[in-house]
Amino acid sequence: GAGVSQTPSNKVTEKGKYVELRCDPISGHTALYWYRQSLGQGPEFLIYFQGTGAADDSGLPNDRFFAVRPEGSVSTLKIQRTERGDSAVYLCASSETSYADTQYFGPGTRLTVL
Amino acid sequence: KQEVTQIPAALSVPEGENLVLNCSFTDSAIYNLQWFRQDPGKGLTSLLLIQSSQREQTSGRLNASLDKSSGRSTLYIAASQPGDSATYLCAVYFNQAGTALIFGKGTTLSVSS
């Protein structure tokens, strides 16, 4: 079946602009995760959804970052007033359950803030 | 603080060699551990998930072991091939439910023909 998909694959924006990154998880997966990966580092957790609700948003760096999953499937990560330090690859993953289950990752969105 | 460490950061081997990648974690009371492969500019591909009750998990030429008491996991790759060249990431669930994976920085493997 289809894996996790993310759009766009690349996003270039100017400092101060607003961006939205989209994630389509594997159908039927209840848990959805957002991570951020900088060059040479492992992915760092941002936010986790169980169904429609954000079960843990402790990884969001500040209040410029927000994510939603209104119908329990597709999720959108929103970044306001982008800064150059936000440049990274944003990865989305989903798992069938939220009990330490196998996570399946999408290809990522490379965000560049000029 | 819950941390995952992978050593070495990079490894180069000739084709055909058997090799071991190492992962250590700070808290022995982990739940599950997952190994991933990442090709340059790509997302992560899941290789193996070892549950906390298991000591080993095998998939083809890959064998992952888990020793919770010593805070270590290893990924064994048999008869390495150039196509195995990638970055291998270890990630740990430090809690059973309602949590995300904590990742190491990865080991970049290069297999020469």
PDB file of all heavy atoms in Angstrom, chain A residues 33 35 37 40-43 45 48 91 98-103 105-107 110, chain B residues 32 34 36 38 42-44 46 49 89 93 95-101 103-105:
ATOM      1  N   TYR A  33       3.661  11.560  13.852  1.00  0.00           N
ATOM      2  CA  TYR A  33       4.769  12.262  14.494  1.00  0.00           C
ATOM      3  C   TYR A  33       5.395  13.233  13.502  1.00  0.00           C
ATOM      4  O   TYR A  33       5.535  12.928  12.316  1.00  0.00           O
ATOM      5  CB  TYR A  33       5.852  11.265  14.929  1.00  0.00           C
ATOM      6  CG  TYR A  33       5.365  10.116  15.784  1.00  0.00           C
ATOM      7  CD1 TYR A  33       4.785   8.997  15.207  1.00  0.00           C
ATOM      8  CD2 TYR A  33       5.519  10.132  17.171  1.00  0.00           C
ATOM      9  CE1 TYR A  33       4.341   7.937  15.982  1.00  0.00           C
ATOM     10  CE2 TYR A  33       5.094   9.076  17.953  1.00  0.00           C
ATOM     11  CZ  TYR A  33       4.498   7.981  17.353  1.00  0.00           C
ATOM     12  OH  TYR A  33       4.078   6.930  18.128  1.00  0.00           O
ATOM     13  N   TYR A  35       9.077  15.310  13.083  1.00  0.00           N
ATOM     14  CA  TYR A  35      10.461  15.448  13.522  1.00  0.00           C
ATOM     15  C   TYR A  35      11.142  16.498  12.641  1.00  0.00           C
ATOM     16  O   TYR A  35      10.697  16.794  11.535  1.00  0.00           O
ATOM     17  CB  TYR A  35      11.238  14.126  13.366  1.00  0.00           C
ATOM     18  CG  TYR A  35      10.755  12.974  14.220  1.00  0.00           C
ATOM     19  CD1 TYR A  35       9.707  12.161  13.789  1.00  0.00           C
ATOM     20  CD2 TYR A  35      11.362  12.667  15.426  1.00  0.00           C
ATOM     21  CE1 TYR A  35       9.273  11.088  14.561  1.00  0.00           C
ATOM     22  CE2 TYR A  35      10.939  11.586  16.203  1.00  0.00           C
ATOM     23  CZ  TYR A  35       9.892  10.807  15.763  1.00  0.00           C
ATOM     24  OH  TYR A  35       9.473   9.733  16.520  1.00  0.00           O
ATOM     25  N   GLN A  37      15.139  17.419  11.181  1.00  0.00           N
ATOM     26  CA  GLN A  37      16.498  16.886  11.074  1.00  0.00           C
ATOM     27  C   GLN A  37      17.417  17.925  10.461  1.00  0.00           C
ATOM     28  O   GLN A  37      17.177  18.396   9.349  1.00  0.00           O
ATOM     29  CB  GLN A  37      16.520  15.601  10.236  1.00  0.00           C
ATOM     30  CG  GLN A  37      17.876  14.919  10.211  1.00  0.00           C
ATOM     31  CD  GLN A  37      17.858  13.595   9.463  1.00  0.00           C
ATOM     32  OE1 GLN A  37      17.049  13.389   8.562  1.00  0.00           O
ATOM     33  NE2 GLN A  37      18.741  12.674   9.832  1.00  0.00           N
ATOM     34  N   GLY A  40      23.716  16.232   9.506  1.00  0.00           N
ATOM     35  CA  GLY A  40      24.623  15.497  10.385  1.00  0.00           C
ATOM     36  C   GLY A  40      24.035  15.092  11.722  1.00  0.00           C
ATOM     37  O   GLY A  40      24.745  14.555  12.574  1.00  0.00           O
ATOM     38  N   GLN A  41      22.756  15.338  11.899  1.00  0.00           N
ATOM     39  CA  GLN A  41      22.091  15.000  13.170  1.00  0.00           C
ATOM     40  C   GLN A  41      20.995  13.976  12.940  1.00  0.00           C
ATOM     41  O   GLN A  41      20.504  13.800  11.824  1.00  0.00           O
ATOM     42  CB  GLN A  41      21.466  16.262  13.780  1.00  0.00           C
ATOM     43  CG  GLN A  41      22.432  17.405  13.991  1.00  0.00           C
ATOM     44  CD  GLN A  41      23.462  17.091  15.037  1.00  0.00           C
ATOM     45  OE1 GLN A  41      23.145  16.554  16.108  1.00  0.00           O
ATOM     46  NE2 GLN A  41      24.724  17.412  14.752  1.00  0.00           N
ATOM     47  N   GLY A  42      20.601  13.307  14.010  1.00  0.00           N
ATOM     48  CA  GLY A  42      19.427  12.458  13.941  1.00  0.00           C
ATOM     49  C   GLY A  42      18.170  13.311  14.033  1.00  0.00           C
ATOM     50  O   GLY A  42      18.226  14.468  14.449  1.00  0.00           O
ATOM     51  N   PRO A  43      17.044  12.756  13.619  1.00  0.00           N
ATOM     52  CA  PRO A  43      15.783  13.507  13.734  1.00  0.00           C
ATOM     53  C   PRO A  43      15.485  13.870  15.189  1.00  0.00           C
ATOM     54  O   PRO A  43      15.735  13.077  16.092  1.00  0.00           O
ATOM     55  CB  PRO A  43      14.746  12.523  13.184  1.00  0.00           C
ATOM     56  CG  PRO A  43      15.513  11.621  12.277  1.00  0.00           C
ATOM     57  CD  PRO A  43      16.849  11.475  12.918  1.00  0.00           C
ATOM     58  N   PHE A  45      12.397  15.164  17.791  1.00  0.00           N
ATOM     59  CA  PHE A  45      10.949  15.157  17.937  1.00  0.00           C
ATOM     60  C   PHE A  45      10.379  16.566  18.050  1.00  0.00           C
ATOM     61  O   PHE A  45      10.943  17.420  18.745  1.00  0.00           O
ATOM     62  CB  PHE A  45      10.594  14.355  19.195  1.00  0.00           C
ATOM     63  CG  PHE A  45       9.181  14.501  19.659  1.00  0.00           C
ATOM     64  CD1 PHE A  45       8.148  13.955  18.926  1.00  0.00           C
ATOM     65  CD2 PHE A  45       8.887  15.175  20.830  1.00  0.00           C
ATOM     66  CE1 PHE A  45       6.839  14.080  19.355  1.00  0.00           C
ATOM     67  CE2 PHE A  45       7.588  15.304  21.267  1.00  0.00           C
ATOM     68  CZ  PHE A  45       6.554  14.758  20.530  1.00  0.00           C
ATOM     69  N   TYR A  48       3.532  15.032  18.497  1.00  0.00           N
ATOM     70  CA  TYR A  48       2.954  13.716  18.270  1.00  0.00           C
ATOM     71  C   TYR A  48       1.435  13.808  18.430  1.00  0.00           C
ATOM     72  O   TYR A  48       0.941  14.426  19.368  1.00  0.00           O
ATOM     73  CB  TYR A  48       3.594  12.740  19.263  1.00  0.00           C
ATOM     74  CG  TYR A  48       2.741  11.606  19.746  1.00  0.00           C
ATOM     75  CD1 TYR A  48       2.302  10.609  18.875  1.00  0.00           C
ATOM     76  CD2 TYR A  48       2.393  11.506  21.084  1.00  0.00           C
ATOM     77  CE1 TYR A  48       1.544   9.566  19.327  1.00  0.00           C
ATOM     78  CE2 TYR A  48       1.622  10.466  21.539  1.00  0.00           C
ATOM     79  CZ  TYR A  48       1.188   9.487  20.664  1.00  0.00           C
ATOM     80  OH  TYR A  48       0.435   8.456  21.118  1.00  0.00           O
ATOM     81  N   LEU A  91      10.459  15.927   8.859  1.00  0.00           N
ATOM     82  CA  LEU A  91      10.045  14.553   8.597  1.00  0.00           C
ATOM     83  C   LEU A  91       8.749  14.235   9.328  1.00  0.00           C
ATOM     84  O   LEU A  91       8.547  14.649  10.467  1.00  0.00           O
ATOM     85  CB  LEU A  91      11.133  13.581   9.067  1.00  0.00           C
ATOM     86  CG  LEU A  91      12.469  13.650   8.340  1.00  0.00           C
ATOM     87  CD1 LEU A  91      13.547  12.917   9.137  1.00  0.00           C
ATOM     88  CD2 LEU A  91      12.358  13.042   6.949  1.00  0.00           C
ATOM     89  N   SER A  98      -0.059   3.713  19.166  1.00  0.00           N
ATOM     90  CA  SER A  98       0.826   4.635  19.879  1.00  0.00           C
ATOM     91  C   SER A  98       1.616   3.919  20.960  1.00  0.00           C
ATOM     92  O   SER A  98       2.175   4.556  21.834  1.00  0.00           O
ATOM     93  CB  SER A  98       0.008   5.763  20.496  1.00  0.00           C
ATOM     94  OG  SER A  98      -0.934   5.234  21.409  1.00  0.00           O
ATOM     95  N   TYR A  99       1.681   2.597  20.898  1.00  0.00           N
ATOM     96  CA  TYR A  99       2.367   1.822  21.924  1.00  0.00           C
ATOM     97  C   TYR A  99       3.722   1.328  21.428  1.00  0.00           C
ATOM     98  O   TYR A  99       3.897   0.163  21.110  1.00  0.00           O
ATOM     99  CB  TYR A  99       1.496   0.652  22.393  1.00  0.00           C
ATOM    100  CG  TYR A  99       0.296   1.134  23.146  1.00  0.00           C
ATOM    101  CD1 TYR A  99      -0.916   1.328  22.498  1.00  0.00           C
ATOM    102  CD2 TYR A  99       0.386   1.436  24.497  1.00  0.00           C
ATOM    103  CE1 TYR A  99      -2.010   1.796  23.189  1.00  0.00           C
ATOM    104  CE2 TYR A  99      -0.709   1.910  25.196  1.00  0.00           C
ATOM    105  CZ  TYR A  99      -1.903   2.091  24.537  1.00  0.00           C
ATOM    106  OH  TYR A  99      -2.982   2.569  25.223  1.00  0.00           O
ATOM    107  N   ALA A 100       4.675   2.277  21.335  1.00  0.00           N
ATOM    108  CA  ALA A 100       6.053   1.949  20.955  1.00  0.00           C
ATOM    109  C   ALA A 100       6.086   1.073  19.708  1.00  0.00           C
ATOM    110  O   ALA A 100       6.834   0.091  19.648  1.00  0.00           O
ATOM    111  CB  ALA A 100       6.762   1.259  22.124  1.00  0.00           C
ATOM    112  N   ASP A 101       5.300   1.457  18.736  1.00  0.00           N
ATOM    113  CA  ASP A 101       5.113   0.677  17.508  1.00  0.00           C
ATOM    114  C   ASP A 101       6.105   1.108  16.432  1.00  0.00           C
ATOM    115  O   ASP A 101       6.702   2.186  16.519  1.00  0.00           O
ATOM    116  CB  ASP A 101       3.678   0.874  17.020  1.00  0.00           C
ATOM    117  CG  ASP A 101       3.155  -0.303  16.239  1.00  0.00           C
ATOM    118  OD1 ASP A 101       3.960  -1.165  15.827  1.00  0.00           O
ATOM    119  OD2 ASP A 101       1.933  -0.367  16.016  1.00  0.00           O
ATOM    120  N   THR A 102       6.248   0.289  15.386  1.00  0.00           N
ATOM    121  CA  THR A 102       7.119   0.628  14.266  1.00  0.00           C
ATOM    122  C   THR A 102       6.641   1.921  13.623  1.00  0.00           C
ATOM    123  O   THR A 102       5.465   2.059  13.279  1.00  0.00           O
ATOM    124  CB  THR A 102       7.111  -0.497  13.222  1.00  0.00           C
ATOM    125  OG1 THR A 102       7.602  -1.688  13.822  1.00  0.00           O
ATOM    126  CG2 THR A 102       7.991  -0.125  12.027  1.00  0.00           C
ATOM    127  N   GLN A 103       7.573   2.855  13.452  1.00  0.00           N
ATOM    128  CA  GLN A 103       7.243   4.105  12.780  1.00  0.00           C
ATOM    129  C   GLN A 103       7.721   4.043  11.332  1.00  0.00           C
ATOM    130  O   GLN A 103       8.821   3.584  11.047  1.00  0.00           O
ATOM    131  CB  GLN A 103       7.905   5.293  13.487  1.00  0.00           C
ATOM    132  CG  GLN A 103       7.293   5.591  14.841  1.00  0.00           C
ATOM    133  CD  GLN A 103       7.749   6.904  15.436  1.00  0.00           C
ATOM    134  OE1 GLN A 103       8.161   7.828  14.727  1.00  0.00           O
ATOM    135  NE2 GLN A 103       7.652   7.029  16.753  1.00  0.00           N
ATOM    136  N   PHE A 105       8.387   6.413   7.988  1.00  0.00           N
ATOM    137  CA  PHE A 105       8.684   7.807   7.688  1.00  0.00           C
ATOM    138  C   PHE A 105       8.367   8.182   6.242  1.00  0.00           C
ATOM    139  O   PHE A 105       8.498   7.358   5.323  1.00  0.00           O
ATOM    140  CB  PHE A 105      10.161   8.110   7.949  1.00  0.00           C
ATOM    141  CG  PHE A 105      10.452   8.376   9.401  1.00  0.00           C
ATOM    142  CD1 PHE A 105      10.482   7.347  10.317  1.00  0.00           C
ATOM    143  CD2 PHE A 105      10.691   9.669   9.845  1.00  0.00           C
ATOM    144  CE1 PHE A 105      10.734   7.594  11.658  1.00  0.00           C
ATOM    145  CE2 PHE A 105      10.951   9.926  11.188  1.00  0.00           C
ATOM    146  CZ  PHE A 105      10.974   8.890  12.092  1.00  0.00           C
ATOM    147  N   GLY A 106       8.001   9.432   6.056  1.00  0.00           N
ATOM    148  CA  GLY A 106       7.882   9.994   4.727  1.00  0.00           C
ATOM    149  C   GLY A 106       9.235  10.488   4.230  1.00  0.00           C
ATOM    150  O   GLY A 106      10.228  10.437   4.957  1.00  0.00           O
ATOM    151  N   PRO A 107       9.279  10.979   2.984  1.00  0.00           N
ATOM    152  CA  PRO A 107      10.543  11.413   2.386  1.00  0.00           C
ATOM    153  C   PRO A 107      11.044  12.751   2.920  1.00  0.00           C
ATOM    154  O   PRO A 107      12.192  13.114   2.683  1.00  0.00           O
ATOM    155  CB  PRO A 107      10.213  11.519   0.900  1.00  0.00           C
ATOM    156  CG  PRO A 107       8.747  11.795   0.870  1.00  0.00           C
ATOM    157  CD  PRO A 107       8.162  11.056   2.043  1.00  0.00           C
ATOM    158  N   ARG A 110      12.272  19.568   2.653  1.00  0.00           N
ATOM    159  CA  ARG A 110      13.461  20.384   2.925  1.00  0.00           C
ATOM    160  C   ARG A 110      13.053  21.841   2.902  1.00  0.00           C
ATOM    161  O   ARG A 110      12.644  22.360   1.857  1.00  0.00           O
ATOM    162  CB  ARG A 110      14.556  20.123   1.889  1.00  0.00           C
ATOM    163  CG  ARG A 110      15.833  20.942   2.141  1.00  0.00           C
ATOM    164  CD  ARG A 110      16.929  20.555   1.170  1.00  0.00           C
ATOM    165  NE  ARG A 110      17.317  19.164   1.325  1.00  0.00           N
ATOM    166  CZ  ARG A 110      18.154  18.703   2.242  1.00  0.00           C
ATOM    167  NH1 ARG A 110      18.721  19.538   3.098  1.00  0.00           N
ATOM    168  NH2 ARG A 110      18.457  17.425   2.275  1.00  0.00           N
TER     169      ARG A 110
ATOM    170  N   ASN B  32      10.856  -0.245  23.310  1.00  0.00           N
ATOM    171  CA  ASN B  32      11.335  -0.837  22.065  1.00  0.00           C
ATOM    172  C   ASN B  32      12.439   0.000  21.445  1.00  0.00           C
ATOM    173  O   ASN B  32      12.625   1.170  21.783  1.00  0.00           O
ATOM    174  CB  ASN B  32      10.166  -0.991  21.087  1.00  0.00           C
ATOM    175  CG  ASN B  32       9.100  -1.910  21.614  1.00  0.00           C
ATOM    176  OD1 ASN B  32       9.346  -2.684  22.541  1.00  0.00           O
ATOM    177  ND2 ASN B  32       7.915  -1.823  21.037  1.00  0.00           N
ATOM    178  N   GLN B  34      14.346   0.785  17.533  1.00  0.00           N
ATOM    179  CA  GLN B  34      14.153   0.638  16.091  1.00  0.00           C
ATOM    180  C   GLN B  34      15.418   1.085  15.362  1.00  0.00           C
ATOM    181  O   GLN B  34      16.003   2.126  15.681  1.00  0.00           O
ATOM    182  CB  GLN B  34      12.942   1.485  15.643  1.00  0.00           C
ATOM    183  CG  GLN B  34      12.429   1.180  14.252  1.00  0.00           C
ATOM    184  CD  GLN B  34      11.052   1.803  13.973  1.00  0.00           C
ATOM    185  OE1 GLN B  34      10.444   2.416  14.845  1.00  0.00           O
ATOM    186  NE2 GLN B  34      10.576   1.643  12.764  1.00  0.00           N
ATOM    187  N   PHE B  36      17.017   2.168  11.633  1.00  0.00           N
ATOM    188  CA  PHE B  36      16.622   2.741  10.353  1.00  0.00           C
ATOM    189  C   PHE B  36      17.841   2.862   9.441  1.00  0.00           C
ATOM    190  O   PHE B  36      18.981   2.957   9.894  1.00  0.00           O
ATOM    191  CB  PHE B  36      16.056   4.156  10.525  1.00  0.00           C
ATOM    192  CG  PHE B  36      14.770   4.237  11.280  1.00  0.00           C
ATOM    193  CD1 PHE B  36      14.773   4.367  12.660  1.00  0.00           C
ATOM    194  CD2 PHE B  36      13.556   4.213  10.616  1.00  0.00           C
ATOM    195  CE1 PHE B  36      13.587   4.462  13.364  1.00  0.00           C
ATOM    196  CE2 PHE B  36      12.363   4.318  11.305  1.00  0.00           C
ATOM    197  CZ  PHE B  36      12.380   4.450  12.684  1.00  0.00           C
ATOM    198  N   GLN B  38      19.069   5.485   6.238  1.00  0.00           N
ATOM    199  CA  GLN B  38      18.759   6.723   5.536  1.00  0.00           C
ATOM    200  C   GLN B  38      19.760   6.928   4.413  1.00  0.00           C
ATOM    201  O   GLN B  38      20.963   7.033   4.652  1.00  0.00           O
ATOM    202  CB  GLN B  38      18.778   7.924   6.485  1.00  0.00           C
ATOM    203  CG  GLN B  38      18.317   9.221   5.836  1.00  0.00           C
ATOM    204  CD  GLN B  38      18.148  10.358   6.830  1.00  0.00           C
ATOM    205  OE1 GLN B  38      18.861  10.457   7.818  1.00  0.00           O
ATOM    206  NE2 GLN B  38      17.179  11.240   6.571  1.00  0.00           N
ATOM    207  N   LYS B  42      17.202  11.458   1.454  1.00  0.00           N
ATOM    208  CA  LYS B  42      15.965  10.676   1.503  1.00  0.00           C
ATOM    209  C   LYS B  42      15.420  10.595   2.927  1.00  0.00           C
ATOM    210  O   LYS B  42      16.088  10.985   3.896  1.00  0.00           O
ATOM    211  CB  LYS B  42      16.222   9.250   0.987  1.00  0.00           C
ATOM    212  CG  LYS B  42      16.823   9.184  -0.398  1.00  0.00           C
ATOM    213  CD  LYS B  42      15.861   9.655  -1.461  1.00  0.00           C
ATOM    214  CE  LYS B  42      16.452   9.461  -2.844  1.00  0.00           C
ATOM    215  NZ  LYS B  42      15.547   9.960  -3.908  1.00  0.00           N
ATOM    216  N   GLY B  43      14.232  10.048   3.040  1.00  0.00           N
ATOM    217  CA  GLY B  43      13.663   9.797   4.351  1.00  0.00           C
ATOM    218  C   GLY B  43      14.248   8.541   4.976  1.00  0.00           C
ATOM    219  O   GLY B  43      15.195   7.962   4.464  1.00  0.00           O
ATOM    220  N   LEU B  44      13.670   8.127   6.094  1.00  0.00           N
ATOM    221  CA  LEU B  44      14.167   6.959   6.827  1.00  0.00           C
ATOM    222  C   LEU B  44      13.403   5.705   6.427  1.00  0.00           C
ATOM    223  O   LEU B  44      12.175   5.734   6.312  1.00  0.00           O
ATOM    224  CB  LEU B  44      14.001   7.175   8.330  1.00  0.00           C
ATOM    225  CG  LEU B  44      15.037   8.027   9.047  1.00  0.00           C
ATOM    226  CD1 LEU B  44      15.023   9.458   8.579  1.00  0.00           C
ATOM    227  CD2 LEU B  44      14.817   7.951  10.561  1.00  0.00           C
ATOM    228  N   SER B  46      12.598   1.932   7.724  1.00  0.00           N
ATOM    229  CA  SER B  46      12.664   1.065   8.896  1.00  0.00           C
ATOM    230  C   SER B  46      13.303  -0.271   8.526  1.00  0.00           C
ATOM    231  O   SER B  46      12.944  -0.893   7.532  1.00  0.00           O
ATOM    232  CB  SER B  46      11.257   0.820   9.445  1.00  0.00           C
ATOM    233  OG  SER B  46      11.306  -0.076  10.531  1.00  0.00           O
ATOM    234  N   LEU B  49      12.504  -3.556  14.241  1.00  0.00           N
ATOM    235  CA  LEU B  49      12.052  -3.101  15.550  1.00  0.00           C
ATOM    236  C   LEU B  49      12.285  -4.237  16.528  1.00  0.00           C
ATOM    237  O   LEU B  49      11.829  -5.357  16.289  1.00  0.00           O
ATOM    238  CB  LEU B  49      10.570  -2.741  15.544  1.00  0.00           C
ATOM    239  CG  LEU B  49      10.005  -2.315  16.892  1.00  0.00           C
ATOM    240  CD1 LEU B  49      10.153  -0.817  17.087  1.00  0.00           C
ATOM    241  CD2 LEU B  49       8.564  -2.743  17.073  1.00  0.00           C
ATOM    242  N   LEU B  89      20.614   4.655  11.535  1.00  0.00           N
ATOM    243  CA  LEU B  89      20.169   5.373  12.731  1.00  0.00           C
ATOM    244  C   LEU B  89      19.511   4.410  13.712  1.00  0.00           C
ATOM    245  O   LEU B  89      18.709   3.559  13.325  1.00  0.00           O
ATOM    246  CB  LEU B  89      19.166   6.464  12.349  1.00  0.00           C
ATOM    247  CG  LEU B  89      19.735   7.632  11.544  1.00  0.00           C
ATOM    248  CD1 LEU B  89      18.649   8.311  10.736  1.00  0.00           C
ATOM    249  CD2 LEU B  89      20.390   8.636  12.476  1.00  0.00           C
ATOM    250  N   TYR B  93      12.450   4.031  22.089  1.00  0.00           N
ATOM    251  CA  TYR B  93      11.272   4.435  22.843  1.00  0.00           C
ATOM    252  C   TYR B  93      11.623   4.303  24.330  1.00  0.00           C
ATOM    253  O   TYR B  93      11.824   3.196  24.821  1.00  0.00           O
ATOM    254  CB  TYR B  93      10.099   3.510  22.549  1.00  0.00           C
ATOM    255  CG  TYR B  93       9.342   3.759  21.276  1.00  0.00           C
ATOM    256  CD1 TYR B  93       9.418   2.852  20.219  1.00  0.00           C
ATOM    257  CD2 TYR B  93       8.510   4.862  21.132  1.00  0.00           C
ATOM    258  CE1 TYR B  93       8.696   3.052  19.056  1.00  0.00           C
ATOM    259  CE2 TYR B  93       7.779   5.069  19.969  1.00  0.00           C
ATOM    260  CZ  TYR B  93       7.880   4.157  18.927  1.00  0.00           C
ATOM    261  OH  TYR B  93       7.157   4.352  17.787  1.00  0.00           O
ATOM    262  N   ASN B  95       9.582   5.224  26.656  1.00  0.00           N
ATOM    263  CA  ASN B  95       8.319   4.937  27.338  1.00  0.00           C
ATOM    264  C   ASN B  95       7.456   4.085  26.423  1.00  0.00           C
ATOM    265  O   ASN B  95       7.638   4.088  25.212  1.00  0.00           O
ATOM    266  CB  ASN B  95       7.585   6.231  27.700  1.00  0.00           C
ATOM    267  CG  ASN B  95       8.345   7.043  28.702  1.00  0.00           C
ATOM    268  OD1 ASN B  95       8.477   6.660  29.846  1.00  0.00           O
ATOM    269  ND2 ASN B  95       8.865   8.173  28.264  1.00  0.00           N
ATOM    270  N   GLN B  96       6.485   3.384  27.010  1.00  0.00           N
ATOM    271  CA  GLN B  96       5.694   2.458  26.205  1.00  0.00           C
ATOM    272  C   GLN B  96       4.649   3.167  25.359  1.00  0.00           C
ATOM    273  O   GLN B  96       4.384   2.795  24.231  1.00  0.00           O
ATOM    274  CB  GLN B  96       4.998   1.425  27.101  1.00  0.00           C
ATOM    275  CG  GLN B  96       4.235   0.371  26.297  1.00  0.00           C
ATOM    276  CD  GLN B  96       3.587  -0.662  27.188  1.00  0.00           C
ATOM    277  OE1 GLN B  96       3.374  -0.420  28.360  1.00  0.00           O
ATOM    278  NE2 GLN B  96       3.274  -1.811  26.634  1.00  0.00           N
ATOM    279  N   ALA B  97       4.042   4.178  25.913  1.00  0.00           N
ATOM    280  CA  ALA B  97       2.915   4.782  25.217  1.00  0.00           C
ATOM    281  C   ALA B  97       3.012   6.294  25.239  1.00  0.00           C
ATOM    282  O   ALA B  97       3.581   6.886  26.147  1.00  0.00           O
ATOM    283  CB  ALA B  97       1.612   4.348  25.872  1.00  0.00           C
ATOM    284  N   GLY B  98       2.452   6.886  24.219  1.00  0.00           N
ATOM    285  CA  GLY B  98       2.343   8.332  24.192  1.00  0.00           C
ATOM    286  C   GLY B  98       3.669   9.038  24.129  1.00  0.00           C
ATOM    287  O   GLY B  98       3.865  10.069  24.755  1.00  0.00           O
ATOM    288  N   THR B  99       4.581   8.507  23.359  1.00  0.00           N
ATOM    289  CA  THR B  99       5.899   9.120  23.291  1.00  0.00           C
ATOM    290  C   THR B  99       6.470   8.941  21.891  1.00  0.00           C
ATOM    291  O   THR B  99       5.939   8.207  21.079  1.00  0.00           O
ATOM    292  CB  THR B  99       6.844   8.495  24.312  1.00  0.00           C
ATOM    293  OG1 THR B  99       8.072   9.232  24.341  1.00  0.00           O
ATOM    294  CG2 THR B  99       7.180   7.062  23.953  1.00  0.00           C
ATOM    295  N   ALA B 100       7.545   9.635  21.627  1.00  0.00           N
ATOM    296  CA  ALA B 100       8.194   9.551  20.321  1.00  0.00           C
ATOM    297  C   ALA B 100       9.556   8.878  20.471  1.00  0.00           C
ATOM    298  O   ALA B 100      10.018   8.611  21.567  1.00  0.00           O
ATOM    299  CB  ALA B 100       8.362  10.942  19.733  1.00  0.00           C
ATOM    300  N   LEU B 101      10.171   8.595  19.344  1.00  0.00           N
ATOM    301  CA  LEU B 101      11.496   8.000  19.337  1.00  0.00           C
ATOM    302  C   LEU B 101      12.560   9.063  19.630  1.00  0.00           C
ATOM    303  O   LEU B 101      12.452  10.201  19.188  1.00  0.00           O
ATOM    304  CB  LEU B 101      11.776   7.375  17.972  1.00  0.00           C
ATOM    305  CG  LEU B 101      11.027   6.083  17.641  1.00  0.00           C
ATOM    306  CD1 LEU B 101      11.132   5.782  16.152  1.00  0.00           C
ATOM    307  CD2 LEU B 101      11.585   4.914  18.445  1.00  0.00           C
ATOM    308  N   PHE B 103      16.472   9.663  18.838  1.00  0.00           N
ATOM    309  CA  PHE B 103      17.426   9.161  17.857  1.00  0.00           C
ATOM    310  C   PHE B 103      18.871   9.429  18.251  1.00  0.00           C
ATOM    311  O   PHE B 103      19.195  10.447  18.882  1.00  0.00           O
ATOM    312  CB  PHE B 103      17.203   9.844  16.501  1.00  0.00           C
ATOM    313  CG  PHE B 103      16.055   9.306  15.707  1.00  0.00           C
ATOM    314  CD1 PHE B 103      14.756   9.724  15.962  1.00  0.00           C
ATOM    315  CD2 PHE B 103      16.268   8.377  14.695  1.00  0.00           C
ATOM    316  CE1 PHE B 103      13.699   9.234  15.225  1.00  0.00           C
ATOM    317  CE2 PHE B 103      15.213   7.880  13.952  1.00  0.00           C
ATOM    318  CZ  PHE B 103      13.929   8.310  14.217  1.00  0.00           C
ATOM    319  N   GLY B 104      19.767   8.533  17.811  1.00  0.00           N
ATOM    320  CA  GLY B 104      21.179   8.828  17.790  1.00  0.00           C
ATOM    321  C   GLY B 104      21.506   9.638  16.536  1.00  0.00           C
ATOM    322  O   GLY B 104      20.637   9.882  15.700  1.00  0.00           O
ATOM    323  N   LYS B 105      22.794  10.027  16.412  1.00  0.00           N
ATOM    324  CA  LYS B 105      23.181  10.826  15.251  1.00  0.00           C
ATOM    325  C   LYS B 105      23.485   9.973  14.030  1.00  0.00           C
ATOM    326  O   LYS B 105      23.627  10.495  12.928  1.00  0.00           O
ATOM    327  CB  LYS B 105      24.403  11.682  15.597  1.00  0.00           C
ATOM    328  CG  LYS B 105      24.119  12.763  16.616  1.00  0.00           C
ATOM    329  CD  LYS B 105      25.349  13.626  16.854  1.00  0.00           C
ATOM    330  CE  LYS B 105      25.028  14.721  17.866  1.00  0.00           C
ATOM    331  NZ  LYS B 105      26.192  15.610  18.094  1.00  0.00           N
TER     332      LYS B 105
END
